[in-house]
Amino acid sequence: MNDRVDVRGTVSFVVLAYVPAWLLTLPMWLTGEGLSWAWSPVVLVAMMFMPALATFVVNRWISPRPGFLRSTGVTNPGGFRRWWGYLLLAWLAPPVVMFLALVVGYALGVYEADWTGFSGLAEQTRSVVVGAPPEPAGALALSQIAQVFLLGWLNIIPAFGEEWGWRGYLTHALLPLGQPGAMLTTGVLWGLWHAPVLVLGYNYPTVPVVVSFFMMVCFCVLVGVLLSWLRLASGSVWPAVVAHGFLNASAGLSVVFGAAGHPADNASVGLLGWTGWLVLVVLILLLVMFGRLPVRFPEESAGLTRGVRRLSRR
């Protein structure tokens, strides 16, 4: 690990992650349709690949380093056997954490839930498929939950675009600042990277723009700590990629368990909302309490005889 931040590389990465992504949003502004523009989903997905593109360009031409695939976590010593447990956690934990966030929101009175009747899901389905015969709400809910755990794997493709950049490159490159500094800086930059679409109402359409900036940064810092922990503890970017993909897939659970006539507000419900942040904070504190955060890296030290190395942890 380097003792100094590669300023040239990190600044170049931020510029290359921001500028092309922000330029991609121009058609949404120029058409005046914003997020309702027909091609906006394509734009949002394309934006997610810009941090990966920045990572490639920086490591290939601007600030080259030997073995950059390993340094950015695409490959790692020990391979899959080292991080399969983290991958399993990254797959199963996000839906569970999202559900806990909904429970907290319900307990604090900001989320109207129908835990067994799934009336909100049935209401939304009727509004989308007009004239379709009603399907049992339980079957609808089971289908949606199955999609979260199974079809969520499709989300890892665009999630890689972000994670290879933010966690794979940037968090690792900023480690000379210390793990708290690297995670905080990455989270803030990740949150502000969403600025053009936040102004258009992305994620937080019910609050003033300035508040949406603050809330997105808070969310990205908290989630970013957990994603960074997965990346650093496993030595691979792939668990963070999978977790990111399934976090996105889990967003629809607020509709699955919501009550009819009470749409969820992201500002207060789910992991994007302040009640969900309480769950994220507890998870971070648990990692700290159990000595898993900050991550202790293996360190080579000289052995008793020439050519022998010992592995210690720090």
Side-chain angles (χ1 to χ4, degrees), residues 20-41:
W22 286 14
L23 289 175
L24 282 171
T25 67
L26 281 178
M28 292 191 286
W29 290 86
L30 297 176
T31 60
E33 298 182 30
L35 295 172
S36 63
W37 184 47
W39 289 93
S40 64

Side-chain angles (χ1 to χ4, degrees), residues 268-285:
S268 54
V269 172
L271 294 176
L272 286 167
W274 64 268
T275 55
W277 301 349
L278 300 177
V279 177
L280 297 175
V281 168
V282 168
L283 291 177
I284 293 169
L285 290 177

Side-chain angles (χ1 to χ4, degrees), residues 70-267:
R70 176 159 291 188
S71 69
T72 56
V74 176
T75 62
N76 65 286
F80 178 72
R81 288 178 298 176
R82 178 179 172 184
W83 49 264
W84 70 267
Y86 291 100
L87 185 71
L88 188 64
L89 181 66
W91 172 32
L92 300 177
V96 174
V97 174
M98 179 63 176
F99 179 78
L100 291 175
L102 296 178
V103 171
V104 171
Y106 175 75
L108 294 177
V110 298
Y111 178 58
E112 295 291 337
D114 186 354
W115 300 113
T116 58
F118 313 110
S119 57
L121 178 61
E123 178 185 57
Q124 185 185 72
T125 304
R126 285 194 300 269
S127 66
V128 173
V129 188
V130 179
E135 186 176 350
L140 281 172
L142 185 61
S143 172
Q144 291 295 313
I145 294 171
Q147 288 184 46
V148 169
F149 282 99
L150 298 177
L151 297 183
W153 286 102
L154 296 176
N155 287 345
I156 69 173
I157 299 172
F160 174 78
E162 287 200 51
E163 290 306 311
W164 192 28
W166 301 119
R167 254 61 60 180
Y169 174 77
L170 188 60
T171 298
H172 194 268
L174 294 176
L175 284 179
L177 300 176
Q179 290 184 39
M183 293 175 183
L184 176 62
T185 304
T186 302
V188 171
L189 289 171
W190 182 31
L192 294 177
W193 175 79
H194 296 85
V197 290
L198 289 173
V199 174
L200 295 173
Y202 181 72
N203 278 346
Y204 300 106
T206 62
V207 300
V209 172
V210 174
V211 177
S212 73
F213 275 49
F214 171 77
M215 298 195 74
M216 194 67 191
V217 168
C218 287
F219 167 75
C220 286
V221 167
L222 293 173
V223 169
V225 169
L226 297 172
L227 294 175
S228 296
W229 172 75
L230 283 171
R231 187 265 186 267
L232 297 177
S234 67
S236 171
V237 75
W238 294 108
V241 169
V242 172
H244 189 149
F246 279 90
L247 279 170
N248 290 348
S250 301
L253 290 179
S254 61
V255 176
V256 173
F257 295 105
H262 297 278
D265 182 358
N266 285 342

Side-chain angles (χ1 to χ4, degrees), residues 1-7 63-66 71 169 172-178 314:
M1 188 186 304
N2 295 328
D3 294 328
R4 290 185 175 183
V5 173
D6 176 8
V7 175
S63 186
R65 63 177 67 185
S71 69
Y169 174 77
H172 194 268
L174 294 176
L175 284 179
L177 300 176
R314 62 177 177 88

